């Protein structure tokens, strides 16, 4: 937790922890109160035999804000954290000021084959093998080759190795698998935000995706953009699943511009009730609508239809 000012809640992805926000956290803390917790089952937080569903994580973020006496926040969620941020906004719209989804999970079924495989039975017996010296060395060689060949896989090579190293013991691996199996099976992602995206009408929403994302393809970002009224989509060229690592200054510029040019959402029970009664509209079901798509280092596309940081360890 660092800084002062409007609150930003940064939610990391699966297998990761709060340190992932290191390249951008100090800069954001210059004029915001920045919270970067370790989700339950991750980093320094507890790893119990418990509920690792998206809804449970959203409840955990609500409880964390309540303990810290924070009523509202703008949420920035990466990967799994994007799904948690979206679920939080659905469950607690009155506590959500803005949404920023970075390579977010939970848009549609498609997901990396590696994550599908990890969700299968007996994966808990295979995961430890990745840490064996010989296997780890070969994995690093493959990733280094991917980097040299300038492939999409190579964009996130260092992060992939880091995530494998973040599962050093059986307890960590068990928590990882419980989390993964709550959202992914052999067919792909089992949860989707698309049936409730229309409820983001009036919620300032920014989508950030790497054009070469091998975990959650950029097509998911475009699908979410089409389904979320008035959202902004920023596509970072030559970036993978961690655009805030490969392009931290670009990410900070985009995020700061979004925060500066939008006002916190105003939640109205009457409007929420009306949206729920009306249900999905053509705009919310993915048809073209007014919005903005921006490619990395390029101008906005024309409007068309269409300090010292102390870690907060949640659960400790």
């Amino acid at each position: 937790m660092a800084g002062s000012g409007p609150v930003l809640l940064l939610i990391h992805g699966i297998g990761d922890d709060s340190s992932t926000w290191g390249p951008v956290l100090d800069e954001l803390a210059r004029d915001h109160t920045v919270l970067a917790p370790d989700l339950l089952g991750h980093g320094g937080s507890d790893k119990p035999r418990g509920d690792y569903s998206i809804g449970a994580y959203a409840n955990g973020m609500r409880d964390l804000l309540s303990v810290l006496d924070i009523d509202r926040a703008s949420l920035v969620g990466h990967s799994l954290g994007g799904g948690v941020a979206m679920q939080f906004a659905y469950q607690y719209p009155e506590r959500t000021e803005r949404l920023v989804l970075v390579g977010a999970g939970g848009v549609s079924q498609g997901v990396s084959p590696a994550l599908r495989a990890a969700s299968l039975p007996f994966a808990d017996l295979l995961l430890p093998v990745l840490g064996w010296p010989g296997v780890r060395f070969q994995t690093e060689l493959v990733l280094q080759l991917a980097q040299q060949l300038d492939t999409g896989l190579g964009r996130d090579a260092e992060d992939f190795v880091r995530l494998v190293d973040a599962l050093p013991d059986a307890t960590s691996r068990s928590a990882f698998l419980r989390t993964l199996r709550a959202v992914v099976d052999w067919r792909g992602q089992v949860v989707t935000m698309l049936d409730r995206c229309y409820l983001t009408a009036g919620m300032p929403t920014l989508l950030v995706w790497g054009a070469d994302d091998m975990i959650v393809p950029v097509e998911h970002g475009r699908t979410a953009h089409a389904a979320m009224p008035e959202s902004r989509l920023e596509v970072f060229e030559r970036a993978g699943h961690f655009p805030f690592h490969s392009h931290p200054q670009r990410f900070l510029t985009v995020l700061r511009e979004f925060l500066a040019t939008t006002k916190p959402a105003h939640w109205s029970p009457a409007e929420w009730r009306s949206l729920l009664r009306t249900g999905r509209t053509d705009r919310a079901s993915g048809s073209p609508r007014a919005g903005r798509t921006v490619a990395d280092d390029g101008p906005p596309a024309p409007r068309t239809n269409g300090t010292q940081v102390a870690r907060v360890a949640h659960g400790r």
Side-chain angles (χ1 to χ4, degrees):
M1 183 174 181
S4 62
V7 179
L8 286 178
L9 176 60
L10 310 183
I11 310 176
H12 64 75
I14 190 169
D16 215 338
D17 61 40
S18 57
S19 66
T20 195
W21 301 108
V24 299
L25 192 148
D26 285 347
E27 183 64 29
L28 292 174
R30 292 179 182 273
D31 48 14
H32 287 81
T33 297
V34 183
L35 305 178
D38 289 350
L39 291 174
L40 193 71
H42 296 72
S45 290
D46 288 350
K47 301 168 181 63
R49 181 176 179 270
D51 186 355
Y52 290 93
S53 66
I54 294 294
Y57 276 130
N59 290 340
M61 294 300 96
R62 174 208 58 191
D63 294 346
L64 176 63
L65 294 179
S66 297
V67 166
L68 297 173
D69 197 24
I70 295 172
D71 293 327
R72 307 186 77 205
S74 293
L75 276 61
V76 182
H78 172 240
S79 196
L80 171 78
V84 174
M86 187 67 187
Q87 184 70 24
F88 182 98
Y90 171 53
Q91 293 179 191
Y92 311 110
E94 73 281 4
R95 306 191 69 165
T96 310
E97 294 189 338
R98 300 174 184 83
L99 270 177
V100 180
L101 308 179
V102 186
V107 177
S108 58
Q109 191 176 64
V111 73
S112 164
L115 289 180
R116 296 190 192 202
S119 72
L120 295 174
F122 309 115
D124 52 327
L125 301 178
L126 299 177
L127 279 179
V129 175
L130 295 177
W132 291 1
V135 176
R136 191 182 187 285
F137 177 71
Q138 293 179 18
T139 301
E140 287 184 343
L141 284 180
V142 171
L143 293 174
Q144 288 174 6
L145 179 61
Q147 282 182 312
Q148 293 173 1
L149 295 176
D150 198 27
T151 66
L153 180 63
R155 304 269 188 258
D156 298 314
E158 294 181 2
D159 284 299
F160 291 152
V161 172
R162 178 176 60 84
L163 294 182
V164 170
D165 290 342
L167 302 174
D169 53 59
T171 302
S172 298
R173 291 190 292 270
S174 176
F176 168 81
L177 289 174
R178 286 179 183 274
T179 304
L180 179 65
R181 288 166 178 168
V183 293
V184 173
D185 65 15
W186 67 272
R187 292 171 294 183
Q189 298 188 78
V190 298
V191 294
T192 179
M193 63 177 72
L194 294 181
D195 61 343
R196 289 294 183 267
C197 277
Y198 68 91
L199 293 169
T200 60
M203 174 73 68
T205 302
L206 171 66
L207 309 170
V208 178
W209 242 269
D212 300 324
D213 193 330
M214 300 287 287
I215 303 299
V216 184
V218 68
E219 286 74 17
H220 290 220
R222 297 191 175 103
T223 298
H225 178 47
M228 304 177 81
E230 304 305 323
S231 63
R232 305 181 188 182
L233 172 62
E234 300 275 351
V235 178
F236 286 23
E237 300 299 330
R238 299 185 62 78
H241 193 53
F242 295 80
F244 54 97
H245 286 180
S246 57
H247 299 71
Q249 290 306 314
R250 169 70 176 173
F251 181 82
L252 285 166
T253 297
V254 167
L255 179 55
R256 285 191 173 282
E257 191 271 341
F258 170 72
L259 295 172
T261 57
T262 56
K263 295 182 180 180
H266 170 72
W267 182 74
S268 163
E271 292 176 3
W272 187 265
R273 180 166 54 249
S274 177
L275 283 170
L276 285 170
R277 286 175 172 170
T278 302
R280 294 179 62 172
T281 64
D282 289 340
R283 285 176 62 177
S285 61
S287 65
R289 18 69 73 221
R292 189 175 77 164
T293 302
V294 181
D296 185 30
D297 295 325
R303 287 190 177 273
T304 62
N305 285 333
T307 10
Q308 188 64 36
V309 178
R311 176 174 299 177
V312 179
H314 172 61
R316 178 173 289 170

